[in-house]
Amino acid sequence: MAQTLGEIAQFLQAELKGDADCIITGLATLSNAEPSQLSFLANMAYRDQLSTSQASAVIVHPNQAMDVKGNALILANPYLGYAKVSALFETLPAGSQTIHPSAVISESAKIGANVSIAANAVIEDHAVLANGAIIGAGSVIGVNSRVGEHSRIHQNVSIYHDVVIGNNTIVHSGSVVGSDGFGFAQDQGEWVKIHQVGGVLIGDDVEIGANCAIDRGALSDTHICSGVKLDNFIQIAHNVEIGEKTAIAAGSMVAGSTKIGRHCTLAGGVGVTGHLTLVDNVHVTAMSLVTKSVTEPGSYSSGTAMSKTVEWRKSAARFRQLDTFSKRLKSVEKSLQGSDKE
Amino acid sequence: MAQTLGEIAQFLQAELKGDADCIITGLATLSNAEPSQLSFLANMAYRDQLSTSQASAVIVHPNQAMDVKGNALILANPYLGYAKVSALFETLPAGSQTIHPSAVISESAKIGANVSIAANAVIEDHAVLANGAIIGAGSVIGVNSRVGEHSRIHQNVSIYHDVVIGNNTIVHSGSVVGSDGFGFAQDQGEWVKIHQVGGVLIGDDVEIGANCAIDRGALSDTHICSGVKLDNFIQIAHNVEIGEKTAIAAGSMVAGSTKIGRHCTLAGGVGVTGHLTLVDNVHVTAMSLVTKSVTEPGSYSSGTAMSKTVEWRKSAARFRQLDTFSKRLKSVEKSLQGSDKE
Amino acid sequence: MAQTLGEIAQFLQAELKGDADCIITGLATLSNAEPSQLSFLANMAYRDQLSTSQASAVIVHPNQAMDVKGNALILANPYLGYAKVSALFETLPAGSQTIHPSAVISESAKIGANVSIAANAVIEDHAVLANGAIIGAGSVIGVNSRVGEHSRIHQNVSIYHDVVIGNNTIVHSGSVVGSDGFGFAQDQGEWVKIHQVGGVLIGDDVEIGANCAIDRGALSDTHICSGVKLDNFIQIAHNVEIGEKTAIAAGSMVAGSTKIGRHCTLAGGVGVTGHLTLVDNVHVTAMSLVTKSVTEPGSYSSGTAMSKTVEWRKSAARFRQLDTFSKRLKSVEKSLQGSDKE
């Protein structure tokens, strides 16, 4: 994976200051970099490390170009430069473009060109793997489901029936797509299952982290739009719609039939209750619970800030008295107004 | 899956108003329905859609029967009717009632009649699959474990040893049943593992969602009673008991040895700490933390409501001052009482 | 698994009071024990059960030795004694020390002595399984990854490439190690993937519960130090470091690049945001959110205590008014001070 600095400059369309023939063998942070590694300065908090870093070259903003003692790649957005160059040093093995003999593939499945299917994967009836799709070891692609071009399904993923996954989409290990939504009707204390006859529609350029669960729709499809990025442990309930390029951090859960707009971000551990609508560009901070629709872009939060447990206990006890406090405060104010009038 | 409306009326024991020969090919919401689809009105908020829906027929309460322009199925509980009729349009492939040649089945396992075992499933020593059980691709049924009659284990499920699953129970993909409870004793700063020698007992008519984890007991069994419904990402720790027909929404976690009663509901993301008892008919709202036993039926909550982050920060900062506020308020009240006396 | 009480006393180095030839066939709590079972008294709340327990013998502290009517094993730490003796009654099948013919093993993989590989497991190129390693059914060990001596990987575990797991470590079913960290750069509204080229380093004597996800590092490795114990559903983001012997309960999530010290405990459902440092011996209570580095050992909390929902709603509404309350209280105080001066 060695490249010359000149090749990398060309790949990034970056201005090169220094030795174009310098060999770069890897990427590292400024403080961890060894000679022959490329680093970057994206956060000004680490600016002082420019002078001590062992990196052979650093991607920097034009304003910091003068501060680099050695080689520099100068870019308006060094973090984006780092993201792009990371692709050159990817360690993930490419697909084999072969079908392992232990894989079990239905005769009715349609397998495109250059598809990779790893050991013990299972491709069920009428499933479609488009050109260049990669299926990891032990993964199951259910009846009638489709994996788009150049999409990669990692190991031990479970795709149920009637799931459509677009192109260039990634699903990490342990994730489940198309499991039943949680729907029951009450019949005199008995739960009667509502069979979930919808599917799941996942767009292009989506990434789904490890151990996620995306339920199939009750009637129509659950929908993850193109460009959505989901971290690990994301729960997407039946008939949810996640708008384009929205990103959701680990452990967040979206309840049934909720629609989240485009370019939103949910930080880790966020809950969104069912049947809500969040407009585009809504941002929710970690472990907040959204119980009402959000009609205005912006940042939203719930919860309390952390304290030492002994202090917190006092606040938590007082929290339960807040309504009484309010009344007592009002009474005090009235009493003072009364005394003012006297 | 086409049915006549007359057949569906008979199946539901519903009163039919209109054309018994009308062919129904699917189910949809009022707003999404196309001709030949059946819909339902369960939530009065959607009542106006009766007049614009393209559905060929609608399941309605007698009070709305007059508002349906076309065909109607009249039932006291339209939502229950929808639940029942959904079974007629299920898209999930039925079990094959065959054993795939790639499945690995111990010679000591007992396989009942009409059992389906999909590709690459593994049935370990002395496991029992009762009549009509369905095991999905890649799932593992551990040593001495039992899957009851007509129960369905979806793909890539992991059942450890000594797990007993009742009849007509469903376990969705990625779920794990019988993993070790989290038990350690301290020995001078070292964690000493407490081997978890209990099992797991799961009743009849239970549904377990995707990517759940139900730990085996430390000594006696963890117990999920009949009729319990678990959504995705449910954590059931060792020796928990979940009472009959209790339903738990996604991401909820119950810590060790806690007993939850019957007909309870935990909304999403609820935590229940260990060694508690919750009586029957307790309901906990989303993302609440239960740290004490609950002796009275009813609805319980914790947390705070969502605000814009800038507003929330002010409240969160004040939360930490609540104990001081309380003292200051008391002091103000005393001072006023003093001045009253003067 | 039957043992005489004398053998157990010797194993535990406990003082034996009573019949050394008594046959012990299992372990149980005081209240559940049947004759021939061994029990223990670790929690004084259960002291009264000593007189009614059917256990053939009880592990007790010297102070309670007199209260045991039958046989006793006397130890300074009865709970530790129970932990140690639990190993004698383990029900988990030992590894077969054979390689199942259905397992798929790369020719370039290195398989040590006495390794067990269960049905349909997949060992990819250049993977290393050290002596005595046990790989469960359906698990995948990725390219270049290593499982240390006597470590046990349960069923359907997914280990990506370049993951190093130490000795005597346990990974439960459904867990994923080495999935991509959640890293993207923004390019005019588009997310550009930051390829995650680091690995994961897991020490010795670690236990990882069911359905965990431990992401690979962005550049350098994610690091789980020796002796760490993780319950189920733990999210460890890229480049996190968890210090030695720290224990984390179910559903907790640690965001990217955070370093947690040694001997810490996170209770269930805790969130820790990214780029923080927690010193050694920090303890966080259930469902708290840590948003700042913690420089002092001790116990920390956030959230509110549970109430009946009707009461809680009032408090939650008042929470949003706290800043106004604060100002009103100050105004009242000023007003009173003014009247004092008059």
Side-chain angles (χ1 to χ4, degrees), chain B residues 160 190-191 195 296 299 303, chain C residues 86 90 172 245 304 308-309:
Chain B
Y160 281 61
E190 302 288 327
W191 294 112
H195 293 262
E296 212 180 316
S299 178
Chain C
S86 71
E90 176 61 278
H172 282 281
K245 296 169 194 163
T304 76
K308 291 198 174 182
T309 301

Side-chain angles (χ1 to χ4, degrees), chain A residues 219-221 239 259, chain B residues 27-35 37-39 49 52-55:
Chain A
L219 292 167
S220 54
D221 292 347
N239 298 105
K259 283 187 202 312
Chain B
L27 292 178
T29 58
L30 285 168
S31 60
N32 285 340
E34 298 171 8
Q37 290 188 313
L38 173 64
S39 192
Q49 298 180 359
T52 56
S53 178
Q54 299 298 306

Side-chain angles (χ1 to χ4, degrees), chain C residues 8-333:
Chain C
I8 294 173
Q10 195 167 21
F11 173 76
L12 289 180
Q13 310 246 32
E15 181 189 342
L16 167 61
K17 186 187 112 182
D19 176 12
D21 296 329
C22 169
I23 301 289
I24 299 296
T25 62
L27 293 177
T29 58
L30 285 169
S31 60
N32 286 340
E34 297 170 9
S36 90
Q37 290 188 312
L38 174 64
S39 191
F40 62 97
L41 176 67
N43 181 337
M44 286 305 118
Y46 300 122
R47 191 177 182 171
D48 287 349
Q49 299 181 356
L50 276 183
S51 58
T52 55
S53 178
Q54 299 298 308
S56 281
V58 185
I59 308 174
V60 290
H61 186 273
N63 292 350
Q64 277 73 49
M66 285 312 184
D67 303 336
V68 181
K69 55 176 184 172
N71 303 309
L73 295 176
I74 302 165
L75 269 179
N77 186 342
Y79 194 63
L80 178 58
Y82 155 53
K84 288 179 176 171
V85 84
S86 71
L88 302 180
F89 295 94
E90 176 61 278
T91 57
L92 174 66
S96 63
Q97 303 201 6
T98 61
I99 296 174
H100 194 277
S102 65
V104 175
I105 300 171
S106 163
E107 287 187 7
S108 61
K110 286 187 191 166
I111 310 298
N114 305 320
V115 163
S116 308
I117 305 180
N120 287 334
V122 177
I123 315 298
E124 297 191 336
D125 296 347
H126 308 292
V128 177
L129 305 183
N131 297 341
I134 301 175
I135 309 297
S139 285
V140 180
I141 310 299
V143 173
N144 287 327
S145 288
R146 182 183 200 283
V147 176
E149 294 184 10
H150 304 290
S151 286
R152 183 163 196 155
I153 311 297
H154 284 274
Q155 310 99 316
N156 286 325
V157 169
S158 303
I159 309 286
Y160 280 62
H161 55 291
D162 299 326
V163 170
V164 175
I165 295 175
N167 302 328
N168 302 307
T169 279
I170 298 168
V171 182
H172 282 281
S173 289
S175 280
V176 175
V177 183
S179 43
D180 282 349
F182 195 60
F184 300 90
Q186 274 280 355
D187 185 13
Q188 300 172 329
E190 302 288 327
W191 294 112
V192 177
K193 182 173 176 70
I194 298 173
H195 293 262
Q196 306 288 305
V197 304
V200 179
L201 180 58
I202 295 175
D204 302 331
D205 302 307
V206 170
E207 183 157 351
I208 295 172
N211 280 338
C212 290
I214 299 175
D215 282 344
R216 61 193 315 105
L219 292 167
S220 53
D221 292 347
T222 301
H223 191 188
I224 310 292
C225 295
S226 291
V228 166
K229 307 298 179 185
L230 305 181
D231 198 351
N232 304 333
F233 292 119
I234 304 296
Q235 152 74 0
I236 303 292
H238 48 184
N239 298 106
V240 163
E241 180 180 321
I242 307 288
E244 285 181 15
K245 296 169 194 163
T246 280
I248 304 185
S252 289
M253 299 179 296
V254 184
S257 299
T258 282
K259 284 186 202 310
I260 294 183
R262 297 179 300 168
H263 299 285
C264 294
T265 57
L266 305 185
V270 165
V272 186
T273 61
H275 298 275
L276 304 185
T277 300
L278 276 63
V279 297
D280 298 346
N281 297 302
V282 167
H283 308 284
V284 184
T285 62
M287 289 177 72
S288 296
L289 174 63
V290 183
T291 56
K292 293 185 178 166
S293 288
V294 178
T295 57
E296 211 178 317
S299 178
Y300 295 84
S301 304
S302 73
T304 76
M306 188 182 75
S307 317
K308 291 198 174 182
T309 301
V310 283
E311 297 301 321
W312 172 82
R313 280 206 190 101
K314 293 178 195 169
S315 296
R318 298 305 182 192
F319 177 80
R320 299 209 242 192
Q321 302 166 359
L322 277 181
D323 198 50
T324 311
F325 279 14
S326 172
K327 285 168 185 158
R328 284 165 58 195
L329 182 56
K330 199 157 203 171
S331 162
V332 161
E333 287 170 334

